[in-house]
Amino acid sequence: MTKNFSKLFLRISITSFIGIYCLALAPSALAKNGNGNGKGNGNSNQTSTTNTTTTTTASSATCSLTDVFLGNVSASACQGPFSGNDTGSSSTLLDDLNSGLFNLGVDATWELVGKTDSPDNFGFEATGKNSGNWSLNQALGEGLSTFVISLKTSSAYSTYLFKDVDFAKTGLTGSFNTIGVALDGSGKQGKDLSHASIFRATYVNLPEPAKAKVPEPTATIGLGLVMGGMLINRRRKSHGIQQCRSSQLS
């Protein structure tokens, strides 16, 4: 009986060992063959992932002085781009200009005088999409003019300063390019122009310092007579004192 029990235990042990060994091999076999059928037909439930590199075109832009010309004269300074609108109730551009967006070195007040999508007194217009021409039908004022042109695309705007311009020398037409406002999907050119605006600066006339009052001629003569009388009186007193001393000594 002991021998039979030993044989039975041995068979059970061998069978268990073989079962455990097969279970250990099963996962690797399934992994190699896809669905475990040994044919590797790709019907596995595992998902194959491929790393794909996506090239993103830079959408940022930076304004440049050569984005806007008046005749053959480029802007003297620029700021932008800024997100939002350059005009309208929600815009802060006019306040920014009056707060010193461009440092003119003197006090100035700014006003919006033209917009290409609405009529104005100066006939400010712009033709073209992401580049083109702009024009005025008359100068912004007599003498030298300081103004800012704002280029607005769908979501941003940039501002360009022209300081102390003589329209008699530059003319009333110029060119623009929105590449300094917002780039399109290619990253090589700007988005289409929504509108352009023009703001004019008026220099503040500071009060002149008070000038010293010049005495009137009659007042000057009177003052001279008084001074002369005082001088004569002093001399008389001095002469009288000297005579008294002389008489006392004699």
Side-chain angles (χ1 to χ4, degrees):
M1 184 176 178
T2 302
K3 291 182 178 180
N4 291 336
F5 178 80
S6 298
K7 290 179 180 181
L8 179 60
F9 179 80
L10 180 61
R11 289 176 181 177
I12 293 173
S13 299
I14 293 173
T15 303
S16 300
F17 177 80
I18 293 173
I20 293 171
Y21 180 76
C22 291
L23 289 173
L25 292 177
S28 59
L30 289 173
K32 290 180 180 180
N33 296 331
N35 61 359
N37 58 10
K39 296 181 181 180
N41 58 7
N43 293 329
S44 171
N45 292 329
Q46 295 181 349
T47 301
S48 177
T49 303
T50 303
N51 293 327
T52 303
T53 302
T54 303
T55 301
T56 303
T57 303
S59 59
S60 59
T62 303
C63 72
S64 172
L65 301 185
T66 56
D67 293 342
V68 183
F69 279 86
L70 171 60
N72 60 357
V73 178
S74 67
S76 54
C78 72
Q79 294 283 354
F82 305 98
S83 60
N85 295 317
D86 59 341
T87 59
S89 59
S90 61
S91 171
T92 62
L93 177 54
L94 189 57
D95 290 337
D96 293 339
L97 289 171
N98 283 313
S99 298
L101 180 63
F102 293 100
N103 184 12
L104 299 181
V106 293
D107 291 335
T109 57
W110 291 87
E111 60 178 329
L112 174 65
V113 295
K115 194 176 176 183
T116 57
D117 56 2
S118 61
D120 60 76
N121 295 330
F122 299 99
F124 181 53
E125 295 181 350
T127 58
K129 294 184 177 180
N130 51 27
S131 63
N133 298 314
W134 66 271
S135 63
L136 294 165
N137 62 15
Q138 62 177 309
L140 296 178
E142 297 180 358
L144 303 181
S145 297
T146 296
F147 61 93
V148 161
I149 287 183
S150 172
L151 301 180
K152 170 71 169 61
T153 63
S154 59
S155 58
Y157 65 89
S158 289
T159 56
Y160 302 86
L161 171 70
F162 289 83
K163 185 178 180 182
D164 297 334
V165 169
D166 185 354
F167 284 105
K169 296 180 179 179
T170 62
L172 299 173
T173 61
S175 61
F176 73 88
N177 195 313
T178 63
I179 197 168
V181 183
L183 300 180
D184 67 356
S186 68
K188 297 180 181 179
Q189 60 186 14
K191 291 184 178 180
D192 289 352
L193 180 71
S194 172
H195 65 260
S197 304
I198 186 166
F199 299 80
R200 179 179 61 181
T202 301
Y203 295 117
V204 177
N205 293 323
L206 299 177
E208 296 182 0
K211 296 181 179 180
K213 292 184 178 181
V214 178
E216 295 292 333
T218 54
T220 304
I221 295 173
L223 181 61
L225 291 175
V226 172
M227 294 297 293
M230 293 176 63
L231 181 61
I232 293 173
N233 188 37
R234 182 177 296 178
R235 287 181 178 176
R236 287 178 177 176
K237 289 182 178 180
S238 177
H239 182 68
I241 293 172
Q242 289 179 354
Q243 286 182 345
C244 291
R245 288 180 178 176
S246 297
S247 61
Q248 289 176 355
L249 291 174
S250 60

